[in-house]
Amino acid sequence: MRLLCFGGDERMRGALEAARAAGWEARHICDEDDAGTELRADAVMLPWPRSFENGRLVGGGLTREQTLALLPPCRVLLAGSGVEQGDVPGAERVFDPGRDEAFVLTNAKLTAEGAIAAAARRTGHALLGRTCVVTGVGRIAQALTARLCAMEAFVIVCARSEAQMRLAHDMGAHPVPLTAAASACAQADVVFGTVPARVLGEAALSALPCGAWVIELASPPYGVDVEWARHIGVQIAVESGLPGRYAPADAGAALFDALVRAMDDGKGGSADG
């Protein structure tokens, strides 16, 4: 089997290593000089979660148009947001691993582990006995809450619904509604944001104790106004895309595993995008 990877961050190198360990031929292309004259592949991987930014390949020197023109026919194309089936007629299937539940769960666990490491690095303290606020009850929030509770942190989860609050309680956390986020933040040593919407406003940020940190894990527009938070002196670290920085080899291997599942499941080839 042949895998062709374009651009990307350290995750792509992890995916290439996983492919070679599985006995695949694997090749990495970042610019036209890498491409050569003939490209063949059973599967192609573009950067994830975004393949292109400002019209250029993420992690490479190619434009979007150059990249798409170089893609050879293949069974599965793994791609990030903004790449649709119609963009790549030679691909039998365009696949976004964000739709693969096994991958999403693995990615959430890697994100949670990286978030805890980031918090310890930023604060200079272990989280044992600390008060940690987690916004949301999605996959990343659940993975993070489980680990924080196991580490004997006091965990407050800000949730939207009664069902989410019951889930947080069952995990060992202290649930509160999002409307009570300000009172939760007033007790926090660390706040972990996982909701990609402005759920922490002026009251919540102003309530943070001196020395508290906000670790923002969500994608834009984030759970807070980052610039305003910094303006008022909040210590905030934007840690979106943690797996690619914290554990790129494992994150890349997870992407390759998702690609293999897509090849096994998509044998007639329908688009996910």
Side-chain angles (χ1 to χ4, degrees), residues 11 23 35-36 66 89 105 107 123 142 156 182 190 201 208 214 232 240 260:
R11 275 175 287 203
Q66 288 172 325
L105 289 174
N107 202 59
T123 65
Q142 289 181 45
I156 303 173
V190 183
L208 288 167
V214 176
I232 65 170
S240 306
V260 172

Side-chain angles (χ1 to χ4, degrees), residues 194-197 216-223 240:
T194 75
V195 180
E216 181 58 73
L217 304 174
S219 55
Y222 308 119
S240 306

Side-chain angles (χ1 to χ4, degrees), residues 129-148:
R130 303 280 171 178
T131 298
C132 299
V133 173
V134 178
T135 64
V137 194
R139 294 178 184 86
I140 292 173
Q142 289 181 45
L144 184 55
T145 297
R147 283 157 179 75
L148 290 170

Side-chain angles (χ1 to χ4, degrees), residues 16-77:
L16 287 158
E17 291 172 4
R20 288 166 182 149
W24 287 42
E25 295 179 26
R27 185 175 169 191
H28 195 192
I29 294 175
C30 292
D31 54 42
E32 284 187 300
D33 290 339
D34 297 330
T37 56
E38 183 181 7
L39 297 178
R40 293 184 300 151
D42 298 285
V44 175
M45 187 179 293
L46 295 179
W48 187 89
R50 293 185 310 278
S51 296
F52 301 99
E53 197 165 44
N54 299 321
R56 303 196 76 85
L57 177 70
V58 171
L62 297 166
T63 66
R64 176 187 173 92
E65 291 73 20
Q66 288 172 325
T67 304
L68 295 179
L70 284 171
L71 299 183
C74 61
R75 286 173 53 191
V76 173
L77 169 68

Side-chain angles (χ1 to χ4, degrees), residues 100-126:
D100 179 303
E101 184 67 15
F103 170 78
V104 171
L105 289 174
T106 298
N107 202 59
K109 292 172 183 177
L110 292 172
T111 300
E113 188 173 327
I116 291 169
R121 183 178 68 253
R122 297 284 185 175
T123 65
H125 294 285

